[in-house]
Amino acid sequence: MRVLANEALRAGPVVIAGADDPYTRRADIAALVRSAARHDAPVVTLSHSPDIVPQLPPRFGLVLAGHTHCGQIALPLIGRVATMSDHGDRYACGVIREGGRTVIVGAGLGTSLLPLRYGAPPDFWVITIGPLAPAHGLR
């Protein structure tokens, strides 16, 4: 297994770009973009946190992220107590579509800080990547 830290490589018909962790200030978006520019194919970006999304150019059309745990604790009527994101609920959980980009943020299987989940069950995503489909094609 190869760890991609702010670098990209071609994997068949796509480029896999691995962003280092913005939460620990190790993400280098400029280096990631330069590395992906060496390859002519659609980019799938893997990131610990979705907070890098606003900094990515449009070519980075699919971002798979975690870190938020979907809030980990979501109370009835109040909602998420915290999202562990600089963007609040914008990238808190699930499928987010912005312009031509799709961001998928999973809840993950574990917890952070408190060993507790409420209203934000753990999850594990299986994603099939294929030709661009209409918005209703993603489940």
Side-chain angles (χ1 to χ4, degrees):
M1 180 180 290
R2 179 171 172 189
V3 175
L4 297 174
N6 301 316
E7 60 183 321
L9 59 82
R10 179 85 184 239
V14 298
V15 173
I16 305 294
D20 208 331
D21 187 16
Y23 196 69
T24 57
R25 295 186 169 84
R26 287 183 275 192
D28 184 341
I29 303 304
L32 184 67
V33 171
R34 281 192 307 273
S35 184
R38 296 183 188 114
H39 310 282
D40 184 26
V43 180
V44 176
T45 306
L46 308 175
S47 178
H48 179 227
S49 169
D51 282 356
I52 66 163
V53 171
Q55 301 168 55
L56 295 173
R59 179 173 176 229
F60 288 64
L62 174 61
V63 179
L64 308 176
H67 183 70
T68 66
H69 299 270
C70 290
Q72 193 169 313
I73 299 172
L75 301 174
L77 304 175
I78 296 173
R80 295 177 183 94
V81 175
T83 59
M84 298 299 289
S85 171
D86 292 339
H87 302 283
D89 280 345
R90 181 176 175 185
Y91 303 114
C93 191
V95 177
I96 301 103
R97 295 190 188 278
E98 292 185 334
R101 177 176 293 136
T102 299
V103 181
I104 300 176
V105 181
L109 301 174
T111 59
S112 181
L113 300 176
L114 295 173
L116 170 71
R117 279 187 180 268
Y118 183 83
D123 67 12
F124 182 89
W125 289 67
V126 176
I127 300 166
T128 301
I129 298 173
L132 190 59
H136 66 276
L138 183 63
R139 299 178 200 262

